[in-house]
Amino acid sequence: MGRAEVLQGVRQMRFEGLLERHERGELSQGEAAEMLGVSKRTFRRWRDRLRDEGPAGMRDRRIGQPSSRRAAVEEILRMLWLYEERYSGFTVKRFHEQLHKRHHYKLGYTVTRLALQGAGLVRPAPRRSAHRKKRPRRPMVGMMLHQDASRFAWLPGDDRQYDLVVTLDDATSAVYSGFLVAEEGTASSFRALSEVIAEHGLFCELYTDRGSHYFHTPKAGQAVSKNVQTQGLPLRRRGSGARWRSSASATSRPIRPKRAGS
């Protein structure tokens, strides 16, 4: 039984129950029709069909009938033949573009893709995970800080670019420290943490990108080294019992792109 048949059965049961309440005087036609989401005229028409034809009269006559918008079988077969004979190995998108451009094809991309997959001519693309996986914010202030820098010509009338080093709280996005330096590094990171601790006290975790002053990355864009000690902040791995912990996972959202070699 398909989805349409199931919904048809549910609608019929609801209508029969409301019709009984209407005939007992508990509901008016308008109230019963409103609860079904139809007009009073439709409610009366369903009532008359049920009395004249029985339960069969309540059946939606569109169920089981081919859609008037259904793609022609001949056009589907022509498309499959063209793919096998002339465009084998093309991606579905590229093949669809050629069909519209060269063969007066009118069907949509989704119909084409599903037909090709159903015929076994192309394989469905594997599902990909989200590029940015969302995670819940920390529930309390001070549990995690974010620190990163953004390079830009921040000063009006000065074309030179500076790094704006910002340290903020993960729970509230409140900025605890922010200043400009010629280039971010170990000194700027210590300065930001010093300002935060002096003003707000100790925190639990520090979340950063993979800057070279945080992590040693043998090859740009690849995993950080787990053996070579960082050249800057003495941050320890999770489970060490240290108050400062750092992450370089795929969920990191740096303010600016990572520099080459970082």
Side-chain angles (χ1 to χ4, degrees):
M1 181 179 293
R3 180 173 180 270
E5 287 81 358
V6 173
L7 295 177
Q8 167 73 30
V10 172
R11 187 192 71 175
Q12 182 173 340
M13 288 188 295
R14 289 189 61 201
F15 172 73
E16 291 176 352
L18 291 172
L19 180 60
E20 290 180 2
R21 294 180 60 185
H22 166 63
E23 291 177 343
R24 292 197 302 264
E26 298 177 6
L27 295 174
S28 66
Q29 278 191 10
E31 292 171 337
E34 184 177 358
M35 295 175 70
L36 285 170
V38 298
S39 65
K40 290 190 291 185
R41 181 176 180 275
T42 299
F43 181 83
R44 290 194 297 269
R45 188 174 71 250
W46 288 357
R47 178 198 61 189
D48 295 342
R49 284 168 54 182
L50 182 63
R51 289 174 178 173
D52 296 340
E53 305 176 34
M58 292 296 299
R59 179 175 176 81
D60 192 332
R61 291 170 172 80
R62 296 172 296 178
I63 296 178
Q65 299 295 323
S67 172
S68 59
R69 301 177 60 187
R70 186 175 183 179
V73 176
E74 295 79 6
E75 186 70 352
I76 295 292
L77 292 176
R78 182 174 78 97
M79 179 268 294
L80 296 176
W81 179 85
L82 284 170
Y83 186 85
E84 287 186 287
E85 296 296 326
R86 299 181 56 178
Y87 297 97
S88 180
F90 274 48
T91 64
V92 178
K93 181 178 180 180
R94 178 62 174 165
F95 174 55
H96 189 255
E97 291 173 350
Q98 294 301 310
L99 287 174
H100 278 268
K101 183 178 180 180
R102 301 177 185 275
H103 301 283
H104 306 288
Y105 186 73
K106 301 298 183 182
L107 300 181
Y109 169 82
T110 301
V111 174
T112 305
R113 175 177 59 82
L114 293 177
L116 290 171
Q117 292 175 356
L121 298 177
V122 298
R123 295 181 179 180
R127 293 181 63 87
R128 298 179 180 179
S129 60
H131 178 61
R132 300 283 190 188
K133 294 183 179 179
K134 294 184 178 180
R135 61 162 182 80
R137 290 174 177 259
R138 291 295 189 268
M140 295 180 62
V141 171
M143 292 188 68
M144 176 184 284
L145 301 186
H146 289 257
Q147 187 180 97
D148 203 0
S150 180
R151 192 163 186 82
F152 186 71
W154 297 102
L155 302 178
D158 190 345
D159 294 334
R160 291 177 296 177
Q161 293 190 343
Y162 299 91
D163 281 345
L164 175 61
V165 182
V166 175
T167 306
L168 55 88
D169 194 284
D170 178 73
T172 62
S173 296
V175 177
Y176 292 158
S177 172
F179 51 83
L180 295 173
V181 292
E183 185 174 358
E184 67 168 323
T186 303
S188 63
S189 298
F190 272 120
R191 173 185 167 185
L193 295 179
S194 177
E195 291 179 359
V196 173
I197 295 173
E199 180 70 22
H200 303 280
L202 291 176
F203 53 92
C204 296
E205 298 179 68
L206 177 65
Y207 201 91
T208 71
D209 64 7
R210 295 189 298 182
S212 59
H213 52 292
Y214 297 115
F215 299 95
H216 174 69
T217 307
K219 292 185 179 180
Q222 296 186 9
V224 299
S225 173
K226 296 182 179 180
N227 301 319
V228 179
Q229 192 171 11
T230 61
Q231 62 182 10
L233 295 175
L235 304 177
R236 301 183 182 181
R237 299 187 186 91
R238 296 181 183 275
S240 65
R243 287 183 178 273
W244 293 354
R245 293 180 285 183
S246 184
S247 303
S249 66
T251 57
S252 177
R253 297 181 63 88
I255 299 174
R256 60 179 175 80
K258 302 178 181 68
R259 297 175 182 174
S262 63

